[in-house]
Amino acid sequence: MDIGTQMPASAYFAAIYRFGFVAMFDHLPILPPDSILGLAAACRADTNPDKVDLTIGIYMDETGACPVFQAVKDAQRAMIDEEVTKAYIAPQGDDGFLTGMMGLVLGQERFQTRAAEVAAVQAPGGCGAVRLGAEVLKAAAPAGKVWVSRPTWPVHVPLITSTGLELSEYRYYEPATHGVDFDGMVADLQQAKQGDIVLLHGCCHNPSGADLSVDQWDVVAEMAVTQGFTPMVDLAYQGFGEGLDVDVYGLRTLVDKTPEVVIAASLSKNMGLYRERTGIAIFTGPDARTAEATASQAKAAARRIYSMPPAHGALIAAKILADQTLRQSWANELEQMCERINSLRVDFRDRLESTTGRDFGFIAREKGMFSFLGLTEEQALAVREDRSLYMLNSSRINIASLNQQNMDQVVEAVASVL
Ligand code: LMR
């Protein structure tokens, strides 16, 4: 047999000696670590007491902790007393969660007016929702192409291509201007046609932080109508840009103007339910039959991939969204997080500019957790090696991991490689 490149000769002979043959896992290649999670793990393993982790997109407070929202604690406490069973919830998800989320994402009035034409299925996190959305798109248009922004969140690629759908990229972030290359985006999307899907980030673009303006969203909606492509919106950061309603202007415009939209929304970040895997796939269509069809397809996809949705996060969210006091407490805390990120952006820009004498104005213009610092991969590796400052190889940082303790250290590290 062929020993192959993955298996050392010594392991091959040891296997033959022990079992008489080489078992199949012995040939299995060891994959490289995930480009985001692997770096967060590398930072955890770093013994330098001055290390700084700006890798993964998790909101950290001033003390460097990822807080649990007070409303989540309260809802959870009440749930423990009220819960009478751990039987499965409905395959489509918890009704209170589904209606609460559709109201939050679409806006209560729009949701109520369009209720019969909207379908939703609970999903394990935003990833689960993207995958369910992609499964339904694949069932509807198997030869359709999915257009993703260049760059996009790297996990979009396997989530979508694992359904068998093909990807194409449209220009989005222009490093030279640190902003959206909207002319490039429009030129590329002019090739998107009926049966194609265009994946958009609802707000707080991951990885760039560069968002479309109101006018630009209007143009995209117009293009979807004229060309017949279906928009799909990944909404993982509602409330982290400018506010819960402002952040979904684009999404709601698409829902109002185009015949069908697929939305993958997550409460990982904006309700802090990261580990509870709390997401939803929403499908807006022209009529009740279409809504039923999309929901049935999404449910069938869920059944064949993971069977049932997890309950805990969804039940917490349902309680918070339905209870005026809890909802207000949650919205206030989220608003404070958003304000803190925006003030960190201004502070960071000022300190970078005064230390380096360069223009970092883009950092304060961007939205949400992420920003590309504009370092080369070599520079990003150098600050990791020399200063234990962890950012992605692309120089994406999580602004929400900055604080008054580490900011000067980060500024100095960045200045040292410029
Ligand atoms: C990120 O982009 O860092 C987050 O969305 C977390 C993840 O799963 O990658």
Side-chain angles (χ1 to χ4, degrees):
M1 70 156 293
D2 178 14
I3 296 182
T5 51
Q6 298 294 330
M7 195 178 185
S10 56
Y12 172 77
F13 290 117
I16 297 288
Y17 177 73
R18 205 162 155 214
F19 302 111
F21 68 99
V22 175
M24 65 181 180
F25 291 163
D26 287 334
H27 301 286
L28 206 55
I30 298 174
L31 298 178
D34 179 84
S35 64
I36 298 173
L37 307 182
L39 280 174
C43 183
R44 275 197 301 279
D46 190 330
T47 52
N48 181 349
D50 295 327
K51 66 188 176 185
V52 179
D53 183 359
L54 304 182
T55 57
I56 191 163
I58 295 180
Y59 179 85
M60 297 295 189
D61 65 16
E62 202 39 46
T63 69
C66 173
V68 182
F69 282 74
Q70 187 57 47
V72 169
K73 286 187 187 166
D74 294 345
Q76 205 160 232
R77 213 170 283 125
M79 252 173 66
I80 289 173
D81 294 335
E82 289 163 12
E83 200 166 48
V84 290
T85 180
K86 287 286 186 192
Y88 299 121
I89 57 169
Q92 190 152 349
D94 175 71
D95 272 343
F97 171 75
L98 297 173
T99 51
M101 282 299 287
M102 286 188 277
L104 177 71
V105 170
L106 302 174
Q108 201 52 38
E109 217 181 294
R110 183 178 293 91
F111 167 50
Q112 249 137 38
T113 322
R114 300 271 310 269
E117 305 155 359
V118 181
V121 174
Q122 194 182 310
C127 278
V130 170
R131 177 67 192 267
L132 289 190
E135 291 282 345
V136 174
L137 293 164
K138 168 79 179 168
K145 245 195 231 170
V146 182
W147 294 79
V148 297
S149 62
R150 186 167 73 231
T152 193
W153 183 48
V155 192
H156 279 150
V157 175
L159 281 174
I160 292 165
T161 55
S162 54
T163 63
L165 284 167
E166 263 178 46
L167 288 188
S168 255
E169 286 186 324
Y170 60 86
R171 276 170 278 175
Y172 187 81
Y173 182 74
E174 173 49 60
T177 60
H178 300 280
V180 177
D181 172 9
F182 192 64
D183 291 342
M185 176 176 176
V186 168
D188 291 345
L189 288 184
Q190 258 149 12
Q191 298 162 59
K193 52 187 191 311
Q194 194 164 12
D196 283 357
I197 297 98
V198 174
L199 179 64
L200 300 147
H201 297 223
C203 61
C204 309
H205 184 265
N206 181 3
S208 71
D211 278 354
L212 296 180
S213 68
V214 161
D215 292 343
Q216 290 168 341
W217 276 110
D218 291 343
V219 172
V220 174
E222 204 55 50
M223 289 176 77
V225 175
T226 319
Q227 295 168 222
F229 62 75
T230 300
M232 177 169 180
V233 181
D234 184 347
L235 186 66
Y237 296 90
Q238 185 182 3
F240 275 107
E242 291 177 80
L244 279 168
D245 286 311
V246 185
D247 288 352
V248 280
Y249 170 85
L251 179 155
R252 290 178 182 171
T253 303
L254 292 171
V255 169
D256 288 342
K257 294 198 176 156
T258 68
E260 51 193 16
V261 181
V262 181
I263 301 159
S266 159
L267 289 179
S268 294
K269 327 272 167 157
N270 62 2
M271 217 175 259
L273 293 172
Y274 303 87
R275 62 175 64 176
E276 309 298 357
R277 313 312 298 137
T278 312
I280 185 169
I282 303 175
F283 304 87
T284 65
D287 53 38
R289 197 216 68 85
T290 313
E292 199 182 330
T294 49
S296 70
Q297 293 279 348
K299 273 190 289 184
R303 184 69 165 149
R304 67 178 175 258
I305 304 172
Y306 56 84
S307 203
M308 299 284 180
H312 194 71
L315 296 178
I316 291 172
K319 206 172 233 333
I320 292 174
L321 294 173
D323 179 299
Q324 197 138 11
T325 313
L326 289 177
R327 190 177 177 125
Q328 196 55 56
S329 153
W330 162 68
N332 291 346
E333 214 173 323
L334 177 59
E335 196 178 316
Q336 283 162 20
M337 289 179 178
C338 175
E339 280 167 8
R340 178 168 166 273
I341 291 179
N342 289 336
S343 74
L344 283 169
R345 285 186 172 281
V346 172
D347 201 359
F348 190 45
R349 173 203 64 193
D350 292 348
R351 293 194 209 191
L352 277 171
E353 289 189 344
S354 69
T355 306
T356 65
R358 298 187 185 208
D359 175 14
F360 280 93
F362 62 90
I363 291 179
R365 288 193 294 274
E366 292 159 349
K367 299 280 182 284
M369 289 193 190
F370 304 115
S371 181
F372 281 130
L373 284 182
L375 303 189
T376 62
E377 188 165 333
E378 290 68 37
Q379 289 168 325
L381 293 177
V383 290
R384 194 180 307 155
E385 282 289 305
D386 302 343
R387 310 236 176 181
S388 293
L389 168 58
Y390 288 76
M391 62 182 72
L392 303 193
N393 292 352
S394 59
S395 89
R396 186 198 84 168
I397 62 161
N398 175 13
I399 298 276
S401 289
L402 292 170
N403 56 47
Q404 297 308 319
Q405 294 294 315
N406 65 25
M407 199 181 296
D408 281 335
Q409 191 187 331
V410 173
V411 170
E412 274 167 34
V414 171
S416 75
V417 292
L418 285 177

